[in-house]
Amino acid sequence: MLKRIRMFFVMLAALMLIAAPAMATDVNNFNELKAAIAEGGSIKLLKDITGIEESLILNQKDVVLDLNGKELSTSSGDFYGSFINVNGGSLRIDNGGTITSNKTFYIKGGGSLEIAGPCTLKTLNSYMIGLDCSSSDGENTLSISGNAKLHGTSNISMITLNTSKSYANNILISNGEFHGVIEIKDYDKTPEKFQITGGAFSADPSNYLKKDDYKAVYSETDSLYHVQRKPAIKFEKKELTLSEGERRDITAMIFGVTEGKYDVTADSSSTAVKVENVSYNGDSATITVSGQHVGESVLTATLTYGEETKSADCTITVSGATPTPGPIDPAPKPVKPAIGNVPDDVKAEIKPELAVTEGDPAAAAKKIGGALAAEQLTRNKDGNTIVKPEVAVKAANKLGTLSSVTSKDVVALPVFTTPAIDADKDKTIMISYEVLGSDLKAKKPADVKVMKILGAENGELFTYASAITKDMDKKFTVMKDDDSGTIFTGDIDGYTMYRLALFIKDGGKFDLDGKKDGAVADPTVILGAEKRAPSGGSGGCNAGLGVLALLLSLAALPLVYKRKK
């Protein structure tokens, strides 16, 4: 019997080791960083590393570099060579932070560089990113999808492409700010694989080489191509349904213009829809419309930029009955929290932090400690990972405190993490989402039901707070959609934006990364079902203990059997 018990614990230990998530390599200095890059895998900076005097080389290795809000910089503007060389491998930069160097990245041999996080890249007196496809080693890829800021040096190209012979680089830019120009060497035409679908460019060339089959405009001066978006306007949705008397804000995205130097107007093709107001600032326009009577209308938004005009259409149908609920529009998104006017001792306990979303369900599953599998996650229309509605339904119905919950009752918030900062250990992290009033699914803030997903079939409701105090773990509140930090206590208007603020203690039950590291990880949903009296069920359980209990029950099965006679 003792032998069988020992065997059981050996099995249990093995199962727990298999289930343990892969951890990133933490680095504190240059030697640790160099060794980690040579090995490949996930790397996380714990401290600033400055004064670097040696290049780093990714030779056929795949690396995910989590800057963690820290700084990487070379010794001075005299640093020679390329700082980070990607030779046939892949490098992903994520999670804030700053990199300052000359010739910061050099990609060749079919290498790949992805800038996915909101970091800042600065070059001192040379180019920032170089791609070399002058040999037949394969095509290189540069992808900039995060809200990064790239600051080039005056009169020096920010990104340099060597594209001689018949080989091309894959350049995919969908986000970010670019203060500099892009230089294409040894190429007699615009590159076939150069796609710009977003981002803001400071270059304003005077001579254009227009290509209608590309989403960018190139300026040719002394064999240099300077990049600038074509002026364009685009509705987020091409079709919309309103009921009579309903008032709605519609967003149109604006591209390729300089703020303050353009104009946006909107017209309705019929009296079924009335344009109430048009406002615009930066990269979007907000058009307020109302349904006047049953019918159909084409809403046309027109962008005027200098002598150019561009337009976009949205077909609006006005019905006499309340429309069937459709996709969330707009989807909830993280915004910078504002804590408002609270006492100093409260500020000392609470850390407002901008949530970092994840577009890859598999990566998101790892960041939340494996509480959910990648198959239980999906993406919303903004490309952010969320919990699948059916998973939330199971967790909500298991609570026993809500009436029957269905998928239409679920509004999933993007799964997020926050940067790990040592100074924030043991603090309560405040995260805010911008949410449309109708998606709060309640008439009063106190009636909003927010559920933390703790596992595949487990969840627990946040508690409403009408004020921000020291003890805010596992609580939420509803705020006005501005930077005042004012808590909203009135009636919720379905067509108004609000800020839903969540509070999660670092290392607490609702922090699914499982560590006291100054960061929290969270999958959360808003529920529309009504509360009911508890029927004896508990309010959720710890996912880690649930998995352990399951392992214990499964592993213990071989211990129960009849003794042979």
Side-chain angles (χ1 to χ4, degrees):
M1 183 66 178
L2 180 60
K3 183 177 181 181
R4 290 198 301 274
I5 293 175
R6 288 174 178 170
M7 180 62 69
F8 156 66
F9 282 108
V10 170
M11 292 168 57
L12 177 60
L15 286 169
M16 295 183 72
L17 284 173
I18 293 172
M23 301 296 290
T25 300
D26 294 339
V27 298
N28 296 276
N29 54 54
F30 176 75
N31 288 334
E32 291 179 356
L33 176 61
K34 181 180 177 181
I37 284 182
E39 183 70 21
S42 296
I43 302 170
K44 184 176 183 179
L45 295 189
L46 296 185
K47 295 181 180 180
D48 295 339
I49 304 177
T50 59
I52 298 172
E53 298 181 345
E54 184 179 344
S55 297
L56 297 166
I57 300 176
L58 279 72
N59 192 7
Q60 306 294 329
K61 295 291 185 179
D62 297 322
V63 171
V64 177
L65 180 55
D66 180 354
L67 295 178
N68 190 27
K70 307 301 182 184
E71 178 185 0
L72 277 180
S73 62
T74 55
S75 56
S76 70
D78 297 327
F79 179 84
Y80 180 76
S82 301
F83 180 30
I84 303 179
N85 295 269
V86 183
N87 182 16
S90 69
L91 173 62
R92 176 186 170 105
I93 304 293
D94 208 346
N95 204 5
T98 301
I99 300 180
T100 303
S101 181
N102 290 327
K103 300 180 182 178
T104 311
F105 302 104
Y106 193 72
I107 311 167
K108 67 177 183 178
S112 171
L113 170 63
E114 179 186 5
I115 301 175
C119 56
T120 299
L121 305 181
K122 301 177 181 178
T123 183
L124 299 172
N125 57 25
S126 185
Y127 65 78
M128 180 182 298
I129 302 173
L131 295 94
D132 186 359
C133 270
S134 58
S135 67
S136 59
D137 295 334
E139 297 180 349
N140 303 313
T141 299
L142 170 62
S143 172
I144 303 177
S145 58
N147 190 25
K149 296 181 180 180
L150 281 68
H151 295 270
T153 300
S154 178
N155 300 321
I156 298 177
S157 58
M158 179 177 60
I159 302 174
T160 297
L161 288 74
N162 299 301
T163 56
S164 61
K165 298 186 179 180
S166 61
Y167 307 102
N169 295 289
N170 301 294
I171 312 297
L172 311 170
I173 298 176
S174 59
N175 206 344
E177 296 181 15
F178 302 86
H179 303 275
V181 298
I182 297 176
E183 178 183 4
I184 303 172
K185 295 181 178 180
D186 302 324
Y187 209 73
D188 58 359
K189 60 181 179 179
T190 52
E192 300 94 333
K193 299 181 180 180
F194 202 139
Q195 297 182 12
I196 300 178
T197 59
F201 291 81
S202 63
D204 189 12
S206 57
N207 300 313
Y208 295 122
L209 171 64
K210 295 186 178 180
K211 293 286 184 180
D212 293 334
D213 52 339
Y214 300 109
K215 294 184 177 180
V217 177
Y218 301 88
S219 169
E220 186 176 21
T221 306
D222 298 330
S223 75
L224 300 182
Y225 288 93
H226 300 256
V227 181
Q228 180 178 329
R229 290 293 312 278
K230 282 184 178 180
I233 187 168
K234 180 182 179 181
F235 279 109
E236 288 188 330
K237 298 183 67 174
K238 292 185 176 181
E239 296 181 354
L240 185 68
T241 300
L242 299 176
S243 57
E244 285 185 293
E246 183 178 357
R247 185 184 175 102
R248 177 78 66 89
D249 286 342
I250 304 173
T251 300
M253 305 306 297
I254 300 170
F255 307 100
V257 299
T258 302
E259 186 175 350
K261 295 185 178 180
Y262 64 90
D263 183 49
V264 177
T265 58
D267 295 293
S268 174
S269 65
S270 79
T271 57
V273 174
K274 179 181 179 181
V275 177
E276 302 282 358
N277 186 56
V278 179
S279 62
Y280 51 91
N281 185 29
D283 59 1
S284 67
T286 301
I287 303 169
T288 305
V289 297
S290 60
Q292 300 296 298
H293 58 79
V294 175
E296 187 174 279
S297 176
V298 176
L299 177 67
T300 300
T302 302
L303 168 68
T304 302
Y305 183 59
E307 297 181 356
E308 291 195 64
T309 59
K310 299 291 181 179
S311 62
D313 292 336
C314 176
T315 301
I316 301 177
T317 302
V318 180
S319 64
T322 302
T324 302
I328 301 169
D329 185 20
K333 65 179 182 180
V335 293
K336 182 69 176 177
I339 195 170
N341 186 19
V342 298
D344 290 340
D345 61 338
V346 174
K347 288 184 178 179
E349 294 290 331
I350 296 176
K351 171 66 174 178
E353 192 67 57
L354 177 63
V356 179
T357 57
E358 173 61 62
D360 180 7
K366 291 182 180 180
K367 290 180 179 179
I368 58 177
L372 295 172
E375 294 75 18
Q376 294 166 323
L377 303 171
T378 186
R379 294 185 181 92
N380 66 11
K381 65 169 194 161
D382 290 342
N384 292 321
T385 298
I386 59 173
V387 176
K388 285 184 175 179
E390 56 267 29
V391 174
V393 167
K394 287 183 180 180
N397 286 326
K398 189 175 179 180
L399 283 176
T401 58
L402 299 171
S403 58
S404 181
V405 179
T406 64
S407 294
K408 68 180 180 63
D409 298 316
V410 176
V411 176
L413 304 178
V415 175
F416 74 85
T417 54
T418 63
I421 302 172
D422 287 343
D424 298 335
K425 287 182 179 179
D426 288 329
K427 287 191 176 183
T428 298
I429 310 297
M430 175 186 182
I431 309 97
S432 292
Y433 288 96
E434 187 178 63
V435 182
L436 188 65
S438 60
D439 291 332
L440 290 173
K441 294 185 174 293
K443 294 181 179 179
K444 294 283 189 180
D447 297 326
V448 175
K449 290 169 287 297
V450 187
M451 183 177 69
K452 176 61 180 275
I453 303 294
L454 296 172
E457 296 184 3
N458 293 297
E460 184 174 328
L461 294 176
F462 282 81
T463 302
Y464 172 72
S466 59
I468 298 177
T469 61
K470 290 178 64 176
D471 181 21
M472 290 298 291
D473 183 31
K474 301 191 291 185
K475 295 180 180 179
F476 79 93
T477 194
V478 177
M479 294 180 158
K480 291 183 178 180
D481 188 29
D482 54 33
D483 294 326
S484 67
T486 302
I487 292 179
F488 180 79
T489 57
D491 292 334
I492 295 174
D493 177 21
Y495 307 110
T496 298
M497 302 301 294
Y498 298 90
R499 292 192 185 182
L500 177 66
L502 308 180
F503 298 85
I504 300 173
K505 187 173 180 61
D506 177 37
K509 182 179 181 180
F510 277 17
D511 178 12
L512 295 192
D513 68 9
K515 297 175 290 186
K516 286 189 176 182
D517 57 356
V520 296
D522 183 68
T524 301
V525 298
I526 301 171
L527 299 173
E530 296 296 326
K531 284 188 177 181
R532 67 184 179 195
S535 56
S538 63
C541 66
N542 182 282
L545 292 177
V547 172
L548 180 59
L550 178 61
L551 290 172
L552 285 169
S553 63
L554 291 176
L557 287 176
L559 300 180
V560 183
Y561 68 102
K562 292 183 178 180
R563 183 183 299 274
K564 289 183 179 180
K565 296 182 179 180

